[in-house]
Amino acid sequence: MGTYRNKLIFASCWLVWTAMHVAMLRYWNLPWPLSATDAVLTNLLLAAMCWLVSNNLRYYRPQKGKYIYILILCAALSGIWIALVKLAMFQLYSEDIVYLSFLQASLPVRFFISLLATGCVALISELWYAQEEQKETSQRSTAAAQLAKDAELYKLRQQLQPHFLFNSLNSISALVTSRPDQARKMIQQLSDFLRGTLRKEENQWTTLEEELQHLELYLEIEKVRFGHRLHTLVEFDEAAAAYKIPHMLLQPVVENAIKFGLYDTTGQVTISIKASADSEYLQVAVQNPFDPETSTPKPGTGFGLSSVQRRLYLLFARADLLNTSVADSLFTTLIKIPRL
């Protein structure tokens, strides 16, 4: 039946059934040795028939609605069982006319008992194997879904690097002739940033403090690009520092804030990153000012925010973990990360 525990239960039930068989034959005043031989032999053969039914259903199960084939199989095996029992007992007790007469008269009853026993085993086996098949199918579906999710997460992470890398290389190209020292500095910072990214690539999760340290390398590169125009304010409490978050989650959000905050303005801009944690969530708010006359931020648009929202959905199966809002010329992106 598949497991050691089930086999033990099967054997125990058969011992109890054999004992009842002996008691029933003794009730009909058959001698002890004969009753024991009849019970043990017939029930061993019946156990073998039941095993054949169960083993057959392991490898071949009828289509839904065609269980008549199981009944036919049980009836055929019961007929074979009756023939074997009759042959064996007639060979052992060929001179006991009273017992042979009793055996001959009991054959129809024995047939229906065998049909009932093999039918019950067939039903239990069918239910067991159907449940096991459903469980395996569910496990395969879960594994396939997990592989697909991991592949999509990997693809999203890989898309972030070229997206940021091309912008940085364009800036370095612009600085090479006008400010070579700044270009060299930016190349070094970019190298450190990419080296840190490769080290973290194997681990999908990191602490908020480590994520912000890595994000600081990115911000230093952007400050070289924008000079004195870009300022950052980072605030987080001790509870939030050790909170686990997906690696590279904040960079596209901050990149989005820089895009809307600096591309359409000429003055100084402060990008603020504030994080706090409670018993259920880590909340990270990224704010950037924008000029309503030259920029019209649309909540939830762009590759950066859409990639973050998609990653959060794949990791937590929730679509409400990223929200954006606009108020008093401030664009705010709020991320909530459930506690693991």
Side-chain angles (χ1 to χ4, degrees), residues 12 24 56 62 72 98 102 252 270 284 322 327:
S12 300
M24 183 180 64
N56 182 75
I72 294 173
V98 175
F102 169 80
T270 299
V284 181
L322 184 145

Side-chain angles (χ1 to χ4, degrees), residues 160 193 206-216 218-219 234-236 240 243-258 271-275 282-286 304-305 307-309 311-312 321-322 333-337:
L160 291 175
F193 176 82
T206 185
T207 63
L208 176 69
E209 186 173 16
E210 292 174 344
E211 179 74 358
L212 291 176
Q213 290 174 355
H214 188 65
L215 185 63
E216 188 64 32
Y218 164 75
L219 291 173
V234 180
E235 297 179 355
F236 60 94
Y243 213 102
K244 291 286 187 179
I245 70 170
H247 173 51
M248 292 287 290
L249 184 73
L250 299 182
Q251 181 196 322
V253 179
V254 175
E255 187 173 354
N256 188 77
I258 292 174
I271 306 295
S272 68
I273 305 169
K274 298 180 180 179
L282 169 71
Q283 298 193 54
V284 181
V286 179
L305 296 188
S307 69
V308 172
Q309 191 165 36
R311 285 187 68 188
L312 290 172
L321 298 179
L322 184 145
T333 303
L334 179 64
I335 298 174
K336 294 195 301 182
I337 302 174

Side-chain angles (χ1 to χ4, degrees), residues 10-23:
F10 183 79
S12 300
C13 290
W14 230 249
L15 288 175
V16 172
W17 177 255
T18 302
M20 292 173 62
H21 192 158
V22 173

